C-alpha cells in the first residue's frame, strides 16, 4: 500500500511534465509556422510606409533631373550637399531626443549659434587651443540643457515656453559676446577636420553626422535607455507607475539635446571657418521639418534617427533642385514650412490622429 501511495505522486508529476513538454512543442511549432507565413506573405502596406520617403527621394531626383540633368545627376552636387548639411542632421538629432520624451526644445538652434560663437571667441580672441575650446562649448550646451530641465521639471512650465525664452536669452548672449560682429580666423585644424578632408569626395563632416545617427539609432533600438525614452514619451504617468524615473529621463534627454546642438555648432564653425551672430537661427525650421518627416519613415509613428537622416537629405535635395531651377529664395521657406505641416499631418495619421501633448 505504501509503495502505491509513493508511486502515484511521481506518476502524476511525470504526467504534468509530459503535458508541459507537449505545450512547449505546440508553441514552438506555432511560432515557426507563423514566422514562415510572415516570410511568405509580403506586406506591401508596411513596406511602403517604412520606405516611402526613400522612394519619394528617388522620384524627386528623377523629376528634377529631367529639367537639370547635368546638375542633378552629377556626383559633385550630392557630395557638396551631404557635407554642407551635416550640421542640420546633427541639429535634427538634438531636437529629436527630447521630442521622443514629449518635450519640445526650441533652443537647439540658439545653442548651435552660441556654441559656434563661443568657439570663435575662445579660439580667435583668447587664443585657446581648438580642442579645449570644443570641450568648453560642449559643456556649455550641457549647462543649457540642465537650465531648461530645471525650469520645465521644477516649476512645471511647458517646454515650449521655457525653451523659447531660453533661446531668445541665448541670442542676446551671442550678440553681447560677439558685439554683433562676425568673427573669422578659426583654427584651420577644425576646418580641415570638418570640410577640407574628404572621403569619396564627401567632406568628413558628413561621416560625423552619419556616425552620430548610427549611435542614436543603436541607443533607441538596442538599449534599455532607449526603451525608457520611448516609454516616457508614450505615457509619463504609466512610465512613472512602472518604476521609471521620468524626471531623470527627461533631464537626460534635454542635456543630450544641448550637447548635440553644441556639436552642431562645432561642425557649423568648421564648415565656414568663422562665426556670425544670427545665421544659426535659420536652421530651426529645417530641423523641425526633418524630425517630423523622419517620424513617418523607417520606423513610422515615432521619432527615429534613420528616418531623420533620410528626411534631412530629402528636403536638402528639394532645395538644391529648386536652386538649380533658378527659383526665388523665398520658395525655400515655403518648401520647409509646407514640409513641416505635411510631415506633422502624416505623423498624426500614423498615430491614429491622437492629440499631440
Amino acid at each position: 500500500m505504501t509503495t502505491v501511495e509513493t508511486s502515484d505522486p511521481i506518476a502524476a508529476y511525470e504526467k504534468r511534465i509530459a503535458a508541459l513538454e507537449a505545450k512547449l512543442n505546440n508553441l514552438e511549432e506555432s511560432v515557426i509556422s507563423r514566422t514562415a507565413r510572415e516570410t511568405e506573405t509580403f506586406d506591401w502596406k508596411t513596406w511602403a510606409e517604412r520606405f516611402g520617403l526613400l522612394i519619394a527621394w528617388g522620384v524627386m531626383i528623377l523629376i528634377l533631373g529631367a529639367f537639370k540633368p547635368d546638375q542633378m545627376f552629377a556626383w559633385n552636387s550630392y557630395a557638396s550637399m551631404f557635407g554642407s548639411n551635416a550640421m542640420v542632421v546633427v541639429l535634427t538629432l538634438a531636437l529629436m531626443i527630447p521630442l521622443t520624451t514629449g518635450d519640445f526644445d526650441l533652443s537647439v538652434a540658439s545653442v548651435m549659434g552660441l556654441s559656434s560663437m563661443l568657439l570663435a571667441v575662445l579660439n580667435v580672441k583668447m587664443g585657446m587651443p581648438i580642442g579645449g575650446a570644443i570641450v568648453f562649448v560642449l559643456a556649455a550646451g550641457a549647462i543649457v540643457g540642465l537650465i531648461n530641465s530645471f525650469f520645465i521639471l521644477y516649476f512645471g512650465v511647458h517646454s515650449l515656453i521655457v525653451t523659447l525664452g531660453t533661446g531668445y536669452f541665448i541670442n542676446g548672449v551671442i550678440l553681447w559676446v560677439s558685439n554683433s560682429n562676425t568673427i573669422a580666423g578659426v583654427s584651420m585644424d577644425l576646418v580641415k577636420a570638418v570640410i577640407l578632408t574628404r572621403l569619396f569626395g564627401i567632406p568628413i563632416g558628413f561621416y560625423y553626422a552619419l556616425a552620430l545617427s548610427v549611435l542614436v539609432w543603436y541607443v533607441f533600438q538596442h538599449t534599455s535607455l532607449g526603451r525608457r525614452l520611448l516609454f516616457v514619451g508614450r505615457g509619463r504617468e504609466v512610465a512613472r507607475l512602472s518604476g521609471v524615473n521620468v524626471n531623470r529621463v527627461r533631464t537626460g534627454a534635454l542635456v543630450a539635446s544641448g550637447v548635440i546642438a553644441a556639436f552642431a555648432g562645432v561642425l557649423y564653425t568648421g564648415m565656414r571657418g568663422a562665426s556670425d551672430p544670427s545665421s544659426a537661427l535659420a536652421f530651426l525650421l529645417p530641423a523641425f521639418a526633418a524630425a517630423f518627416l523622419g517620424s513617418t519613415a523607417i520606423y513610422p509613428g515615432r521619432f527615429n534617427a534613420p528616418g531623420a537622416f533620410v528626411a534631412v537629405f530629402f528636403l536638402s535635395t528639394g532645395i538644391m533642385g529648386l536652386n538649380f531651377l533658378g527659383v526665388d529664395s523665398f520658395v525655400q521657406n515655403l518648401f520647409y514650412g509646407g514640409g513641416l505641416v505635411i510631415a506633422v499631418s502624416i505623423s498624426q495619421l500614423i498615430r491614429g490622429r491622437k492629440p499631440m501633448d
Side-chain angles (χ1 to χ4, degrees):
M1 185 70 179
T2 305
T3 305
V4 174
E5 290 177 354
T6 305
S7 62
D8 285 343
I10 295 175
Y13 176 76
E14 290 178 348
K15 187 177 180 180
R16 287 196 298 270
I17 291 295
L20 180 60
E21 288 178 349
K23 289 181 179 179
L24 290 174
N25 289 332
N26 291 333
L27 178 61
E28 185 177 356
E29 290 174 0
S30 66
V31 169
I32 293 173
S33 62
R34 186 169 64 250
T35 304
R37 287 196 304 270
E38 290 175 355
T39 304
E40 294 172 359
T41 305
F42 187 78
D43 191 345
W44 283 99
K45 182 180 178 181
T46 301
W47 187 89
E49 196 173 61
R50 292 189 63 185
F51 302 107
L53 186 61
L54 283 168
I55 297 171
W57 188 10
V59 171
M60 181 170 63
I61 291 173
L62 293 175
I63 293 173
L64 293 172
F67 296 97
K68 292 290 182 178
D70 292 340
Q71 292 96 334
M72 288 303 299
F73 296 145
W75 174 245
N76 288 338
S77 298
Y78 294 95
S80 299
M81 182 194 70
F82 290 149
S84 61
N85 285 281
M87 78 286 183
V88 182
V89 173
V90 175
L91 191 67
T92 303
L93 295 174
L95 183 65
M96 188 194 78
I97 294 175
L99 281 175
T100 302
T101 62
D103 290 310
F104 288 82
D105 190 352
L106 299 181
S107 67
V108 287
S110 299
V111 173
M112 174 178 159
L114 177 66
S115 167
S116 177
M117 185 55 67
L118 287 179
L119 192 64
V121 169
L122 292 172
N123 182 242
V124 178
K125 299 291 187 181
M126 303 180 66
M128 180 181 290
I130 193 65
I134 291 173
V135 173
F136 186 91
V137 300
L138 293 179
I143 291 171
V144 173
L146 285 172
I147 292 172
N148 284 336
S149 64
F150 174 73
F151 284 102
I152 292 170
L153 299 177
Y154 185 80
F155 290 103
V157 184
H158 197 283
S159 57
L160 276 171
I161 299 172
V162 171
T163 56
L164 179 63
T166 304
Y168 269 91
F169 182 87
I170 291 172
N171 294 336
V173 172
I174 294 171
L175 293 172
W176 170 52
V177 169
S178 65
N179 199 24
S180 301
N181 294 321
T182 297
I183 299 177
V186 175
S187 173
M188 285 302 295
D189 291 339
L190 179 61
V191 178
K192 290 177 182 176
V194 174
I195 196 74
L196 295 183
T197 304
R198 292 175 178 257
L199 182 63
F200 305 115
I202 303 174
I204 200 70
F206 166 81
Y207 297 99
Y208 300 149
L210 176 61
L212 183 61
S213 299
V214 172
L215 176 61
V216 174
W217 165 81
Y218 181 83
V219 169
F220 274 90
Q221 290 298 119
H222 299 287
T223 68
S224 59
L225 174 59
R227 287 189 289 273
R228 286 197 294 271
L229 288 166
L230 292 169
F231 198 18
V232 169
R234 293 294 173 87
R236 290 173 185 166
E237 191 59 33
V238 174
R240 185 179 289 108
L241 293 174
S242 300
V244 177
N245 191 326
V246 173
N247 287 347
R248 183 182 299 174
V249 171
R250 293 175 68 190
T251 298
L254 289 164
V255 171
S257 176
V259 173
I260 295 173
F263 179 60
V266 173
L267 294 181
Y268 190 45
T269 309
M271 284 177 50
R272 305 166 72 229
S275 177
D276 70 87
S278 59
S279 63
L281 296 177
F283 295 102
L284 182 60
L285 180 59
F288 260 101
F292 278 95
L293 185 59
S295 70
T296 67
I298 314 299
Y299 300 100
R302 61 185 174 90
F303 298 101
N304 64 92
F309 185 86
V310 172
V312 167
F313 294 113
F314 171 83
L315 294 169
S316 301
T317 300
I319 294 297
M320 181 178 71
L322 292 174
N323 288 334
F324 288 154
L325 292 172
V327 176
D328 291 334
S329 59
F330 72 85
V331 178
Q332 295 187 17
N333 292 337
L334 299 178
F335 189 80
Y336 279 127
L340 176 59
V341 174
I342 293 171
V344 174
S345 300
I346 295 173
S347 177
Q348 287 296 94
L349 287 174
I350 292 174
R351 295 174 69 247
R353 291 186 296 178
K354 297 177 181 177
M356 296 182 68
D357 295 330

